[in-house]
């Protein structure tokens, strides 16, 4: 789809061309604190499950036996990563001394997946925004997350207009720099293409890029040196507008609730790091098996000889057991 195929949608607009929120159905109830906590817990769990599949490239329909084989293979790959990208070998060896292999496996897994952890946050806020929209009862309908470009869609009533409803196609991003400048036109046209081709849509649409963690209100993207935007139907909503619109809570209230929930969950589970839940036990044990084969750990699974680690890092160390 290109700019020339974009038809201005008939929804209420401000003098600056933004969606006029005052002409939409307002919030009629507040999402309770208890409901918000449940939404956050569910979002964390769903994002963690999705992250685990993406990190390990596990197909959605994989059977348990297939998953196990993937985890065993990934455990060996993680050990090879540990062996190859060790930083300072002496410092790394000293840092591992006395540590259980499971802790080192999780740390190495984290090192490999920092980018995916940022994506985990994006998915978390994606799930949260959708579920907050449902609980708020402001919207006529809210879809499940579907197409890759359209994270969720919401239908809302329009007040005193020939058009009775507006369809909101929303893609959630952590920050505006999640995409480079050259990627925005493609993303805008792709999202609008989904809206235009939705056979179940009735009424006009607007496309929204919700920015979960950048402060601000709203902007419309323009090409450089052009008086016309990429699309007159697409807006970027920053966190100070995005969260109140869908949840009724301010950005700071949302982030504070997420923090409180993470602290509570860590206290209950004794796992302060969200990343722990992303690492399958089979993968950790596969990593441990590799450590045992090179005689790097004792019978309890703790690294007990830093010199052997230095040998592993600095030479072509051979396995001592089969």
């Amino acid at each position: 789809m290109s700019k020339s195929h974009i038809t201005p949608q008939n929804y209420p607009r401000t003098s600056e061309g933004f969606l006029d929120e005052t002409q939409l159905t307002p919030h009629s109830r507040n999402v309770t604190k208890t409901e918000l906590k449940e939404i956050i817990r569910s979002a964390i769990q769903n994002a963690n499950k999705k992250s685990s599949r993406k990190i390990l490239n596990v197909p959605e329909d994989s059977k348990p036996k297939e998953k196990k084989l993937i985890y065993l293979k990934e455990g060996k790959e993680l050990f090879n990563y540990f062996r190859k990208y060790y930083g300072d070998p002496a410092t790394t060896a000293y840092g591992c001394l006395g540590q259980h292999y499971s802790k080192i496996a999780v740390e190495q897994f984290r090192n490999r997946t920092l980018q995916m952890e940022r994506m985990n946050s994006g998915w978390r806020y994606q799930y949260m925004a959708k579920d907050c929209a449902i609980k708020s009862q402001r919207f006529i309908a809210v879809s499940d997350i579907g197409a890759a470009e359209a994270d969720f869609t919401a239908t809302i009533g329009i007040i005193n207009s020939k058009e009775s409803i507006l369809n909101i196609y929303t893609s959630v991003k952590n920050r505006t720099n999640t995409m480079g400048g050259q990627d925005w036109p493609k993303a805008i046209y792709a999202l609008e293409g989904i809206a235009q081709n939705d056979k179940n849509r009735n009424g006009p649409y607007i496309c929204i890029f919700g920015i979960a963690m950048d402060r601000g209100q709203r902007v419309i993207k323009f090409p450089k040196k052009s008086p016309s935007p990429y699309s007159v139907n697409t807006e970027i909503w920053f966190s100070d507008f995005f969260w109140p619109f869908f949840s009724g809570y301010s950005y700071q209230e949302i982030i504070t609730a997420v923090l409180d929930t993470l602290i509570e969950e860590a206290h209950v589970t004794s796992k302060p790091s969200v990343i722990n839940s992303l690492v399958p036990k089979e993968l950790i044990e596969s990593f441990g098996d590799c450590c045992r084969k090179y005689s790097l750990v004792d019978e309890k699974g703790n690294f007990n000889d830093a010199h052997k680690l230095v040998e592993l890092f600095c030479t072509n160390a051979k396995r001592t057991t089969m």
Side-chain angles (χ1 to χ4, degrees):
M1 195 191 80
S2 65
K3 190 174 180 179
S4 61
H5 293 93
I6 295 174
T7 302
Q9 295 295 295
N10 185 26
Y11 58 78
R13 300 175 188 256
T14 66
S15 58
E16 294 85 6
F18 294 108
L19 170 67
D20 188 349
E21 189 190 5
T22 65
Q23 300 302 308
L24 304 179
T25 302
H27 283 284
S28 60
R29 71 177 293 271
N30 294 324
V31 176
T32 68
K33 297 287 187 180
T34 300
E35 288 173 334
L36 183 59
K37 287 285 182 72
E38 287 303 315
I39 286 170
I40 294 170
R41 289 191 187 97
S42 176
I44 289 171
Q45 292 171 1
N46 288 330
N48 285 350
K49 289 177 183 177
K50 188 169 183 178
S51 292
S52 182
R53 290 195 300 268
K54 294 287 184 180
I55 290 168
L56 302 172
N57 197 25
V58 179
E60 297 272 356
D61 56 352
S62 295
K63 296 178 180 178
K65 187 176 290 186
E66 294 171 333
K67 288 182 180 179
K68 186 174 182 179
L69 290 175
I70 292 172
Y71 296 153
L72 290 174
K73 178 177 178 292
E74 288 295 327
K76 294 176 182 177
E77 289 297 323
L78 186 63
F79 182 81
N80 289 333
Y81 172 87
F82 171 59
R83 186 177 183 179
K84 186 175 181 180
Y85 298 102
Y86 45 76
D88 173 15
T91 301
T92 303
Y94 179 74
C96 290
L97 190 61
Q99 302 290 338
H100 194 269
Y101 67 78
S102 60
K103 180 180 180 180
I104 302 303
V106 170
E107 289 177 355
Q108 294 301 309
F109 192 85
R110 174 188 288 276
N111 291 341
R112 289 181 68 196
T113 57
L114 286 176
Q115 178 62 32
M116 193 59 67
E117 195 169 344
R118 286 191 286 269
M119 292 175 67
N120 176 278
S121 295
W123 290 322
R124 178 199 306 159
Y125 292 122
Q126 188 183 95
Y127 286 114
M128 283 176 56
K130 183 201 72 169
D131 288 345
C132 281
I134 293 171
K135 283 291 184 181
S136 75
Q137 298 180 12
R138 182 186 191 186
F139 303 90
I140 298 167
V142 180
S143 74
D144 287 328
I145 296 171
E149 299 291 346
D151 297 331
F152 68 91
T153 60
T155 304
I156 192 169
I158 302 177
I159 303 170
N160 300 324
S161 172
K162 291 181 180 179
E163 300 289 352
S164 59
I165 61 172
L166 174 65
N167 302 279
I168 306 171
Y169 291 77
T170 308
S171 180
V172 182
K173 308 295 180 186
N174 271 349
R175 301 184 184 277
T176 50
N177 63 8
T178 299
M179 294 191 296
Q182 72 278 6
D183 298 323
W184 275 104
K186 179 181 176 182
I188 289 170
Y189 298 144
L191 184 57
E192 187 142 6
I194 290 171
Q196 288 183 343
N197 297 320
D198 186 351
K199 296 178 180 179
N200 296 318
R201 175 176 60 83
N202 291 311
Y205 67 82
I206 183 173
C207 295
I208 299 301
F209 287 91
I211 310 301
M213 294 186 289
D214 276 347
R215 303 299 300 271
Q217 292 293 320
R218 295 184 285 177
V219 298
I220 295 174
K221 278 280 187 181
F222 285 76
K224 289 182 178 180
K225 300 180 181 179
S226 172
S228 301
Y230 289 113
S231 169
V232 294
N233 307 316
T234 298
E235 299 180 13
I236 297 173
W237 291 1
F238 293 99
S239 58
D240 291 317
F241 188 89
F242 174 74
W243 287 111
F245 185 90
F246 285 111
S247 72
Y249 282 94
S250 71
Y251 168 60
Q252 184 172 347
E253 288 172 331
I254 287 289
I255 297 302
T256 299
V258 172
L259 173 61
D260 291 344
T261 304
L262 289 172
I263 292 172
E264 289 172 11
E265 291 295 294
H267 179 72
V268 171
T269 62
S270 299
K271 292 181 180 178
S273 174
V274 174
I275 197 75
N276 287 1
S277 62
L278 305 182
V279 190
K281 290 181 180 179
E282 296 90 341
L283 188 154
I284 292 175
E285 289 307 312
S286 177
F287 180 89
D289 287 341
C290 291
C291 292
R292 281 186 281 268
K293 287 175 181 177
Y294 283 86
S295 299
L296 301 175
V297 295
D298 59 21
E299 65 278 1
K300 293 181 180 180
N302 296 321
F303 287 92
N304 62 345
D305 191 334
H307 290 89
K308 285 185 178 179
L309 279 170
V310 168
E311 182 182 355
L312 178 78
F313 297 146
C314 298
T315 68
N316 294 320
K318 297 180 180 180
R319 293 187 299 182
T320 59
T321 62
M322 298 299 290

